[in-house]
Amino acid sequence: MESRPRPMGAQTVRYKAAPPAVCAAGELSGRRCGVWVCTVGKIGIFVSSPDNGSNRTQQGAAMPFGNTHNQMKMNYSSDQEYPDLSKHNNHMAKILTPAMYERLRSKQTPSGFTLDDVIQTGVDNPGHPFIMTVGCVAGDEETYEVFKELLDPVIEDRHGGYKPADKHKTDLNPDNLKGGDDLDPNYVLSSRVRTGRSIRGFCLPPHCSRGERRMVEKLSNEALDSLTGDLKGKYYALKNMTDAEQQQLIDDHFLFDKPVSPLLLASGMARDWPDARGIWHNDNKTFLVWVNEEDHLRVISMQKGGNMKEVFNRFCTGLTKIESLFKEKGHEFMWNEHLGYVLTCPSNLGTGLRAGVHMKLPNMSKHAKFEEVLKRLRLQKRGTGGVDTAAVGGVFDISNADRLGFSEVELVQMVVDGVKLLTEMEKRLEKGQSIDDLMPAQK
Amino acid sequence: MASSFTRILSSKRNVGILSVVGGSVTAAFLLNREHVSAGVPVRRIYPASAEYPDLRKHNNCMASNLTPAIYAKLCDKATPNGFTLDQAIQTGVDNPGHPFIKTVGMVAGDEESYEVFADLLDPVIKERHNGYDPCTMKHPTDLDASKIHSGQFDERYVLSSRVRTGRSIRGLSLPPACTRAERREVERVVIDALSGLKGDLTGRYYSLTQMTEKEQQQLIDDHFLFDKPVSPLLTCAGMARDWPDARGIWHNNEKTFLIWVNEEDHTRVISMEKGGNMKRVFERFCRGLKEVERLIQERGWEFMWNERLGYILTCPSNLGTGLRAGVHVKLPLLSKDPRFSKILDNLRLQKRGTGGVDTAAVGGVFDISNLDRLGQSEVQLVQTVIDGVNYLVECEKKLEKGQDIKVPPPLKQFK
């Protein structure tokens, strides 16, 4: 057995029921050697008992789904396996090179997530000439370490130059938000803040097994069940929902459907639908949690009207409370100083936060400078159905464009300030006046 | 047809296994040559009961046969290529099925899947193939087209005739599991062999990635072009990964012999022509298949085949012959007769619309083909179709004259 220097980012993993040859997780052929020697002529079955989250990354047990081809792939040269990205336009395709592929393809995270798993969605979805998708996903927290060489430049590209050594600030103190309780309700129809959270020690939706996903659901339920006051609520599992419940959730605009976007399907997040998926919301219908959709948890605070401050208050209070409830049970969220909150898609790192309003901008949206204004305010527009939908009746979804490199408070502040300015501009245009003096500087 | 696993390994996988991993692995493979052993065991952190899928709303062959006990027994196994039970059943978990149409609900990732997961696949095969028991029965292969009789249909009724099957290249993983390099290897092996075809089988290959717009339009007009699969039954099994890399279509100049590369199987082989000369279609089918087989054998490859299951393909429903022989036939009167379904059943035939599976019939024209795939030979199945279609046409003629028709007695299944 040749010994190889352990590559950067690989973790040494000790397996409880392991064969005598202990191997480093990041180095595939070493691991394979050990197992083969043990199983000559015999079928070895390792079934270790389930244990709590805190030991899991040390255990490094492999997920049963996925990663099964990595050994086969090593029989072929890197060139033979390299994907054809000649017609592709996504961040992954722009960054990945044959040399990088060769260096990374023998690696895997402790749970067995491989480079090909990371990039499959980007290979299967060449992208769009105008819209640059990310083209890669994480299968667990360690993905961002083991495949740093690819993901750091992707993150840098996607998040406006965020460097591998940069630190991300987390600020969930709603008192630090200035104003935001007075967005003009004649223009702002509703306000909403969402983010995602992942439970440390558990694989992410592209990679998790059914057992793992069910455990995430169970733990989330336990935490959410303990919420009190105006956060008290109820969980609706997708597979147990009655027709009446389902209709109500659709009417409330809460229900999420099985993903149909090939971007999501190709990454494997829709496997076993609707097992262990569900929606929790409080009795007031202002605080909502999606379980096991694109991330472990998506947390949403929303209400009609323009009181973004109240929405953000509830958001921070709820999130902080949920986090402490998880901690009581010995679990924490995936977070680190560099990437902030860790989520499935690299585009959602940092805060994972999208704060937005539905607002009427019939005049502004027809103005030649609309896009430029949004860009300078670091905002983006979407249709009222969310991403990839069209605006209806001059009503737009306006939200922050950034996720990483700014704190939660900073991003919501940008939205609050930006929406105020857009409202001013809309009013001017209604009166037939110019908005030139209102043009903002680039934030 | 006996496989020589080590021969294939040493000739085709030159660099990888022996040099990287060392002698112990060679020993492992040599020891396991006679029977298939499971590959690298899957390490689980949850007990099988926590991983067992919720199949209560499911109606497919996998769901009917996957008990918690079988799941627990198989869930930690993997084929030598690393294909796992969870991967095999994923399509059946993701697609609960339809109350009327029972889908199979699982796929094979490689030839060894049928051994390693036999505890589940054998009952699934038995259910899908009407009682064929892979443990005790043998599947007959017969590609001698000269045995066919009465193979010319009345062309006032039969508009076109077609025979299709699939073939897999031994030693390479199947579409749900193959890596990009393996898929490209399949493409290379197949088009290399096809370039050796001569006479009326001379043709050319059109790669999906390199096709020109004009070529694409022509292939669509010829009804040859296949699209990226959209059916969730296929996409959930992972066969559409890396599309359209290493996919393509080969056809002869006369457009009567066609091969799909890397769609749902390594290859799908189709012989077809307008009109009712099923004998000629089948003759060309057999000749073409045998020629392709000879050409790949010259280069050291062979098809996946064994005595129990016949030709090995991705979907268990296509085992045995993998053969669907069919016609497009005008049956406007018969199709409205309430006995139509029973007649088809007894003749061991099925009807589809003219767009293929899951489409509707247009203008009284139906796609009529054999129901069975496994347990009878190619010759037997094609003869069944010929005899059956002739009977249907006779019925149609009788109804035209206002005469009554008879429901034929049911055919015996395993001859």
Side-chain angles (χ1 to χ4, degrees):
Chain A
M1 232 196 287
E2 45 203 73
S3 72
R4 293 186 183 183
R6 204 146 42 86
M8 258 189 358
Q11 298 178 22
T12 305
V13 171
R14 311 256 153 202
Y15 299 100
K16 247 190 194 160
V22 174
C23 316
E27 208 31 86
L28 180 65
S29 45
R31 176 165 174 258
R32 181 173 63 164
C33 262
V35 177
W36 272 119
V37 163
C38 258
T39 56
V40 163
K42 196 175 104 161
I43 297 168
I45 297 178
F46 303 100
V47 182
S48 42
S49 52
D51 55 355
N52 62 37
S54 53
N55 283 339
R56 285 194 63 250
T57 40
Q58 284 151 18
Q59 283 279 324
M63 279 289 110
F65 188 96
N67 179 41
T68 52
H69 320 307
N70 233 32
Q71 286 127 353
M72 289 316 293
K73 281 178 196 139
M74 302 312 291
N75 297 330
Y76 292 90
S77 75
S78 181
D79 278 338
Q80 288 172 315
E81 287 287 356
Y82 191 71
D84 179 356
L85 300 173
S86 50
K87 297 194 176 114
H88 286 58
N89 183 42
N90 57 52
H91 287 294
M92 178 280 292
K94 294 252 163 302
I95 303 283
L96 188 69
T97 63
M100 189 189 289
Y101 186 81
E102 178 147 29
R103 285 190 292 275
L104 293 179
R105 73 183 190 120
S106 59
K107 294 187 206 281
Q108 57 184 355
T109 67
S111 75
F113 204 63
T114 65
L115 178 67
D116 281 318
D117 292 329
V118 172
I119 67 174
Q120 191 67 54
T121 179
V123 174
D124 287 347
N125 296 291
H128 193 276
F130 305 153
I131 303 169
M132 193 75 159
T133 43
V134 177
C136 46
V137 291
D140 52 23
E141 192 167 8
E142 294 83 358
T143 303
Y144 289 101
E145 263 309 299
V146 174
F147 301 109
K148 252 173 119 42
E149 195 187 337
L150 169 66
L151 289 171
D152 277 351
V154 166
I155 288 168
E156 188 167 341
D157 249 9
R158 177 63 176 207
H159 293 281
Y162 192 79
K163 298 260 178 295
D166 287 349
K167 299 242 189 298
H168 170 82
K169 221 182 340 167
T170 292
D171 181 358
L172 281 161
N173 184 349
D175 294 334
N176 291 339
L177 182 70
K178 300 193 199 40
D181 51 352
D182 56 350
L183 302 177
D184 189 336
N186 292 318
Y187 296 86
V188 176
L189 306 176
S190 61
S191 310
R192 179 185 188 266
V193 182
R194 69 87 159 150
T195 187
R197 290 290 185 263
S198 311
I199 305 177
R200 176 159 280 161
F202 292 84
C203 292
L204 297 170
H207 191 44
C208 63
S209 69
R210 280 180 293 274
E212 184 101 309
R213 197 186 297 111
R214 288 163 179 169
M215 187 60 92
V216 167
E217 185 191 36
K218 177 166 172 296
L219 294 174
S220 303
N221 264 343
E222 280 169 9
L224 296 169
D225 267 347
S226 315
L227 289 172
T228 56
D230 78 318
L231 292 177
K232 185 164 142 356
K234 186 180 154 182
Y235 182 67
Y236 302 84
L238 248 58
K239 66 178 179 179
N240 294 336
M241 218 174 265
T242 67
D243 278 345
E245 286 167 343
Q246 188 175 307
Q247 195 51 51
Q248 186 60 56
L249 287 165
I250 292 173
D251 295 339
D252 291 329
H253 304 288
F254 283 176
L255 189 61
F256 61 87
D257 247 329
K258 178 171 180 175
V260 293
S261 162
L263 298 172
L264 298 181
L265 295 176
S267 72
M269 342 187 165
R271 286 172 299 125
D272 314 312
W273 202 274
D275 196 312
R277 272 83 168 191
I279 291 168
W280 180 98
H281 71 77
N282 67 349
D283 299 332
N284 297 339
K285 298 187 182 179
T286 52
F287 193 68
L288 165 67
V289 179
W290 291 352
V291 179
N292 285 320
E293 194 237 10
E294 186 183 328
D295 282 293
H296 285 170
L297 302 168
R298 282 284 177 99
V299 180
I300 301 152
S301 170
M302 62 204 261
Q303 65 193 52
K304 292 238 180 286
N307 195 341
M308 181 62 91
K309 192 166 178 60
E310 193 171 76
V311 170
F312 188 54
N313 261 353
R314 188 185 316 113
F315 176 81
C316 295
T317 312
L319 262 179
T320 312
K321 191 80 190 108
I322 293 174
E323 184 160 15
S324 68
L325 287 166
F326 271 106
K327 285 207 169 122
E328 273 174 26
K329 299 254 166 74
H331 297 287
E332 45 185 18
F333 292 145
M334 292 183 196
W335 180 92
N336 66 57
E337 250 190 345
H338 165 53
L339 294 178
Y341 288 101
V342 175
L343 295 176
T344 303
C345 182
S347 70
N348 280 322
L349 290 166
T351 59
L353 185 136
R354 194 171 90 83
V357 299
H358 280 188
M359 70 183 296
K360 289 194 257 201
L361 294 171
N363 295 299
M364 190 59 204
S365 56
K366 294 196 194 79
H367 195 280
K369 293 249 173 71
F370 186 40
E371 301 281 351
E372 179 62 23
V373 169
L374 288 175
K375 184 166 162 293
R376 293 194 190 178
L377 293 174
R378 307 193 73 86
L379 299 178
Q380 65 173 198
K381 73 182 196 307
R382 297 181 182 192
T384 45
V387 69
D388 294 339
T389 65
V392 175
V395 179
F396 285 80
D397 174 322
I398 303 291
S399 64
N400 53 294
D402 302 297
R403 303 272 182 273
L404 175 65
F406 298 91
S407 75
E408 287 81 355
V409 166
E410 283 169 350
L411 291 177
V412 179
Q413 193 70 63
M414 275 187 229
V415 174
V416 161
D417 297 345
V419 166
K420 282 207 175 118
L421 183 62
L422 285 168
T423 310
E424 273 311 301
M425 290 178 160
E426 181 67 22
K427 285 176 176 163
R428 288 272 190 97
L429 292 174
E430 271 173 19
K431 295 186 206 131
Q433 294 166 356
S434 149
I435 54 167
D436 291 342
D437 62 311
L438 291 176
M439 286 297 288
Q442 177 68 53
K443 274 188 185 280
Chain B
M1 286 278 189
S3 127
S4 177
F5 205 38
T6 43
R7 176 181 68 81
I8 290 175
L9 275 176
S10 52
S11 59
K12 298 305 158 198
R13 310 262 178 80
N14 34 15
V15 176
I17 295 182
L18 298 179
S19 61
V20 172
V21 185
S24 59
V25 178
T26 319
F29 277 118
L30 285 169
L31 278 175
N32 294 329
R33 183 178 35 160
E34 295 309 315
H35 68 273
V36 176
S37 84
V40 178
V42 172
R43 191 170 296 106
R44 242 167 232 281
I45 56 168
Y46 297 92
S49 56
E51 295 282 8
Y52 184 71
D54 182 351
L55 300 171
R56 290 172 295 171
K57 294 191 177 124
H58 286 59
N59 182 41
N60 56 53
C61 297
M62 180 278 292
S64 303
N65 289 285
L66 183 66
T67 62
I70 293 181
Y71 185 80
K73 186 172 176 200
L74 297 179
C75 66
D76 281 320
K77 299 197 182 173
T79 67
N81 295 337
F83 194 67
T84 64
L85 179 71
D86 281 324
Q87 287 173 297
I89 66 174
Q90 191 67 57
T91 179
V93 175
D94 288 346
N95 296 293
H98 192 275
F100 305 152
I101 303 170
K102 199 159 188 186
T103 42
V104 177
M106 66 184 298
V107 292
D110 49 25
E111 188 166 10
E112 296 81 357
S113 296
Y114 288 100
E115 302 295 322
V116 174
F117 305 119
D119 285 323
L120 175 60
L121 274 160
D122 283 350
V124 165
I125 289 167
K126 193 165 177 187
E127 180 178 343
R128 177 61 178 211
H129 294 280
N130 303 298
Y132 180 87
D133 188 350
C135 301
T136 57
M137 294 161 74
K138 292 214 201 314
H139 170 80
T141 292
D142 185 355
L143 284 161
D144 180 359
S146 67
K147 295 180 182 160
I148 297 294
H149 58 84
S150 319
Q152 171 71 58
F153 296 120
D154 186 336
E155 292 186 348
R156 290 171 297 173
Y157 296 87
V158 174
L159 307 176
S160 61
S161 310
R162 178 184 189 267
V163 182
R164 71 86 158 150
T165 188
R167 290 289 185 265
S168 310
I169 309 289
R170 175 161 280 160
L172 295 167
S173 303
L174 297 170
C178 64
T179 71
R180 276 183 295 274
E182 279 186 296
R183 200 185 294 111
R184 292 163 178 170
E185 183 81 332
V186 168
E187 187 189 35
R188 191 195 63 76
V189 168
V190 171
I191 65 185
D192 190 36
L194 295 174
S195 65
L197 289 174
K198 300 196 181 3
D200 71 319
L201 295 178
T202 312
R204 77 160 264 216
Y205 182 67
Y206 301 84
S207 143
L208 247 59
T209 51
Q210 286 156 23
M211 211 175 272
T212 67
E213 296 259 331
K214 200 156 149 286
E215 286 166 344
Q216 188 174 309
Q217 194 51 51
Q218 185 61 55
L219 287 165
I220 292 174
D221 294 339
D222 289 330
H223 304 288
F224 283 175
L225 189 60
F226 61 86
D227 248 326
K228 178 171 180 174
V230 293
S231 162
L233 298 174
L234 299 181
T235 54
C236 291
M239 331 187 174
R241 287 171 302 125
D242 314 312
W243 201 275
D245 196 313
R247 272 83 167 190
I249 292 167
W250 181 99
H251 70 77
N252 67 349
N253 298 334
E254 298 177 14
K255 299 186 181 177
T256 52
F257 192 65
L258 164 68
I259 296 179
W260 291 351
V261 179
N262 284 320
E263 193 236 10
E264 186 184 331
D265 281 294
H266 284 174
T267 65
R268 282 289 177 95
V269 179
I270 302 152
S271 171
M272 60 203 261
E273 54 183 72
K274 291 243 181 285
N277 196 340
M278 180 61 94
K279 187 169 161 84
R280 185 167 63 203
V281 168
F282 186 55
E283 180 275 323
R284 184 174 45 248
F285 176 83
C286 295
R287 188 164 44 88
L289 266 179
K290 289 198 199 125
E291 196 42 24
V292 172
E293 184 160 20
R294 189 187 65 77
L295 288 162
I296 65 164
Q297 277 169 344
E298 264 178 18
R299 292 155 173 80
W301 297 89
E302 52 184 14
F303 290 142
M304 291 183 195
W305 180 94
N306 68 51
E307 256 188 339
R308 256 183 359 119
L309 299 174
Y311 288 101
I312 302 292
L313 294 176
T314 303
C315 182
S317 68
N318 281 322
L319 290 167
T321 60
L323 185 136
R324 194 170 91 85
V327 298
H328 281 188
V329 58
K330 287 195 262 202
L331 300 169
L333 298 175
L334 182 57
S335 57
K336 293 197 193 76
D337 191 299
R339 293 166 288 184
F340 186 40
S341 286
K342 187 85 179 101
I343 294 173
L344 288 174
D345 256 357
N346 285 3
L347 293 173
R348 306 288 317 147
L349 297 175
Q350 65 173 192
K351 71 181 197 300
R352 299 181 181 189
T354 44
V357 69
D358 295 336
T359 65
V362 175
V365 179
F366 286 81
D367 173 323
I368 303 290
S369 63
N370 53 295
L371 263 176
D372 303 307
R373 304 265 183 275
L374 174 64
Q376 294 189 61
S377 75
E378 290 82 352
V379 165
Q380 286 167 329
L381 290 175
V382 173
Q383 193 63 59
T384 300
V385 172
I386 288 170
D387 296 342
V389 169
N390 278 332
Y391 190 87
L392 294 173
V393 168
E394 282 313 305
C395 288
E396 183 71 19
K397 287 174 177 169
K398 285 210 170 113
L399 289 173
E400 277 171 14
K401 294 190 206 127
Q403 294 167 356
D404 195 23
I405 56 169
K406 277 216 266 279
V407 174
L411 285 178
K412 204 156 65 99
Q413 266 181 62
F414 301 121
K415 297 191 182 130

